[in-house]
């Protein structure tokens, strides 16, 4: 015959040290289980979740930092390349600068030949500008034209063929008109390409002017 004891009696038995009775009741399944929740089994799982979360956040943060670093490095390289490109002269003079006269008294046209510097890329001549001035005149900006040159436009030719760009090994003749320049007058000319440093130079009309004059 089995004896069923209430919860109060079970506690009394445990408090009085009746170990044998308590063991027997426990064996019979009569001892009430504690209502306290055992969370020890979830500790490892929670730690793993937290660790994974930290790893994911660190990976995302590292990706963002690396991406920003690569982007900054690329922009820095582009800035350096642009700086070098803009500070390097891509065009150079070939031969003399000539002043032409229609009245043998004043220079009315100027012509010279240009080429690309070694290693320079091809250049669009339509975007190039020429600035011309003398000590007694204000600077005049000339732009490229495929038609007839004047005091506001210059032409670009290879031989007798008009060209709008210059490539490696090309020799392009620049031709433009100027307001009459008297003998012994200094002329300031500046070539401003769209890419690369400007090429300024100064020439002086000779003391005696003929049809074709080498400016020095």
């Amino acid at each position: 015959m089995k004896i069923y004891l209430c919860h109060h009696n079970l506690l009394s038995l445990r408090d009085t040290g009746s170990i044998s009775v308590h063991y027997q009741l426990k064996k019979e399944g009569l001892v009430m289980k504690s209502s306290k929740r055992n969370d020890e089994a979830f500790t490892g799982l929670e730690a793993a979740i937290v660790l994974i979360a930290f790893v994911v956040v660190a990976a995302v943060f590292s990706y963002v930092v690396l991406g920003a670093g690569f982007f900054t490095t690329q922009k820095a390289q582009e800035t350096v390349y642009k700086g070098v490109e803009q500070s390097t002269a891509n065009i150079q003079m070939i031969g003399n600068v000539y002043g032409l006269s229609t009245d043998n008294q004043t220079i009315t046209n100027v012509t010279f030949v240009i080429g690309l510097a070694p290693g320079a890329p091809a250049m669009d001549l339509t975007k190039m500008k020429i600035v011309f001035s003398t000590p007694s005149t204000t600077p005049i900006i000339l732009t490229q034209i495929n038609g007839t040159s004047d005091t506001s436009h210059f032409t670009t030719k290879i031989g007798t063929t008009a060209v709008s760009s210059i490539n490696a090994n090309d020799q392009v003749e620049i031709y433009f008109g100027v307001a009459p320049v008297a003998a012994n007058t200094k002329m300031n000319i500046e070539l401003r390409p769209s890419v690369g440093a400007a090429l300024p130079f100064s020439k002086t009309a000779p003391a005696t002017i003929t049809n074709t004059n080498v400016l020095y």
Side-chain angles (χ1 to χ4, degrees):
M1 180 179 180
K2 297 182 179 180
I3 301 175
Y4 297 92
L5 299 178
C6 66
H7 180 60
H8 177 73
N9 292 333
L10 289 175
L11 294 177
S12 299
L13 287 173
R14 294 180 64 181
D15 294 338
T16 56
S18 303
I19 299 175
S20 60
V21 176
H22 178 266
Y23 175 77
Q24 183 64 30
L25 293 176
K26 183 177 181 181
K27 183 177 180 182
E28 294 293 336
L30 299 177
V31 177
M32 297 180 64
K33 294 183 179 180
S34 174
S35 61
K36 183 179 179 181
R37 182 181 176 184
N38 185 5
D39 293 335
E40 295 179 356
F42 296 93
T43 303
L45 179 60
E46 292 173 352
I49 294 175
V50 172
L51 179 60
I52 293 173
F54 272 114
V55 171
V56 172
V57 172
V60 173
F61 181 74
S62 300
Y63 175 79
V64 172
V65 171
L66 289 175
F70 291 145
F71 177 78
T72 303
T73 302
Q74 182 180 3
K75 288 299 180 182
Q77 290 177 346
E78 291 178 359
T79 302
V80 171
Y81 293 150
K82 286 294 183 182
V84 172
E85 187 178 65
Q86 292 295 336
S87 62
T88 303
N90 290 331
I91 54 177
Q92 60 185 0
M93 299 290 301
I94 300 177
N96 296 320
V97 178
Y98 296 93
L100 308 180
S101 175
T102 56
D103 57 8
N104 292 340
Q105 294 180 357
T106 58
I107 301 296
T108 55
N109 293 278
V110 175
T111 183
F112 50 87
V113 176
I114 63 171
L116 289 178
M123 182 185 303
D124 185 358
L125 295 176
T126 62
K127 297 180 180 180
M128 186 176 73
K129 293 179 173 57
I130 297 178
V131 181
F132 177 85
S133 66
T134 66
S136 60
T137 60
T138 57
I140 297 175
I141 298 178
L142 297 88
T143 56
Q144 194 267 356
I145 190 173
N146 289 329
T148 303
S149 64
D150 52 34
T151 56
S152 299
H153 302 89
F154 64 92
T155 58
T156 51
K157 295 181 179 181
I158 297 179
T160 58
T161 304
V163 295
S164 58
S165 63
I166 181 171
N167 301 293
N169 301 321
D170 285 348
Q171 295 187 6
V172 177
E173 179 187 8
I174 305 293
Y175 187 95
F176 58 92
V178 296
V181 178
N184 297 320
T185 301
K186 183 179 180 180
M187 291 172 277
N188 302 310
I189 302 172
E190 181 180 0
L191 306 183
R192 295 180 179 177
S194 59
V195 177
L199 178 62
F201 56 92
S202 297
K203 297 294 180 179
T204 303
T208 302
I209 296 178
T210 59
N211 288 335
T212 302
N213 308 273
V214 177
L215 304 181
Y216 63 94

